[in-house]
Amino acid sequence: MIRISESAQKHFCKLLADQPEGTNIRVFVVNPGMPNAECGVSYCPPDSVEPDDERLPFNGFDAVVDSGSAPFLEDAVIDFEEQELGSQLTLKAPNAKARKVADDAPLIDRVEYVIQAEINPQLANHGGHVLVTEITEDGKAVLQFGGGCNGCSMIDVTVKNGIEKELIERFPNEITGVRDVTEHERGEHSYY
């Protein structure tokens, strides 16, 4: 589920040496499955371990994960780099914003995963988001935009050169295109 690099394991062991005996680390996701999901690591004293927590053994400590965060930490990587200007702990969790779906899941679920995990984080930079409302029989992904995307002057470029191209590439022989059903109205919310 979570891969912790050797350098990060050493870093955690060093930090845990100053904590009460039996303290481990907790890896978690705040707002899992949401566009604003954030990952974190904290100390986990023995009395804060819940019965449904998952314990992942590492060299000198356990990583404790709550059941709500576990599916969103699939393929997560924690690394520690020492640099000239200081050191940096990084936690990359590609599935934090959307729960990973199986390769044989229904097409709409797989498309929704790509939108939530990869496309919406990019649109969020402009205050926007998109969701897939259906997949038509002829393979068109029907999209509904919101936030800053609604009324944006670049929406056609985003749809055709960005989202449609990405979905056709990811789902060849399944997705033939996209259709935007948003009634785009310019307003203060629109990204310019």
Side-chain angles (χ1 to χ4, degrees):
M1 172 195 304
I2 299 171
R3 188 171 64 77
I4 301 179
S5 72
E6 287 294 323
S7 59
Q9 288 183 53
K10 288 177 186 170
H11 176 69
F12 287 133
C13 285
K14 200 180 299 181
L15 293 174
L16 290 168
D18 296 334
Q19 296 301 310
E21 190 170 331
T23 300
N24 287 293
I25 65 164
R26 178 173 291 282
V27 185
F28 57 91
V29 181
V30 177
N31 299 319
M34 305 297 290
N36 62 341
E38 301 245 346
C39 298
V41 178
S42 65
Y43 292 118
C44 182
D47 62 352
S48 72
V49 177
E50 299 294 328
D52 63 344
D53 283 345
E54 200 169 327
R55 293 178 79 113
L56 308 171
F58 286 93
N59 192 9
F61 64 93
D62 288 350
V64 180
V65 179
D66 64 277
S67 60
S69 294
F72 300 94
L73 289 169
E74 194 71 35
D75 301 327
V77 177
I78 301 175
D79 195 13
F80 182 75
E81 292 181 31
E82 294 200 46
Q83 302 162 341
E84 284 183 33
L85 300 174
S87 51
Q88 182 176 0
L89 184 70
T90 58
L91 195 163
K92 294 179 184 168
N95 299 305
K97 295 180 187 315
R99 183 183 215 151
K100 191 171 184 178
V101 295
D103 292 340
D104 61 351
L107 179 60
I108 194 163
D109 293 345
R110 291 181 284 135
V111 170
E112 183 65 23
Y113 171 76
V114 170
I115 285 176
Q116 293 303 328
E118 298 177 27
I119 293 171
N120 273 339
Q122 295 172 37
L123 296 178
N125 292 333
H126 300 178
H129 61 274
V130 64
L131 58 93
V132 60
T133 60
E134 70 173 300
I135 306 288
T136 64
E137 284 186 29
D138 63 346
K140 298 269 194 262
V142 180
L143 305 177
Q144 178 76 44
F145 287 88
C149 292
N150 188 351
C152 173
S153 60
M154 296 298 289
I155 195 66
D156 292 338
V157 173
T158 299
V159 170
K160 289 294 178 191
N161 295 348
I163 298 171
E164 182 176 74
K165 184 178 175 186
E166 179 71 22
L167 293 179
I168 290 172
E169 194 174 287
R170 287 289 189 92
F171 305 101
N173 307 319
E174 292 182 284
I175 295 294
T176 60
V178 299
R179 188 168 77 220
D180 178 10
V181 295
T182 312
E183 290 186 30
H184 289 280
E185 295 180 22
R186 273 198 183 281
E188 289 183 24
H189 63 278
S190 301
Y191 184 79
Y192 294 98

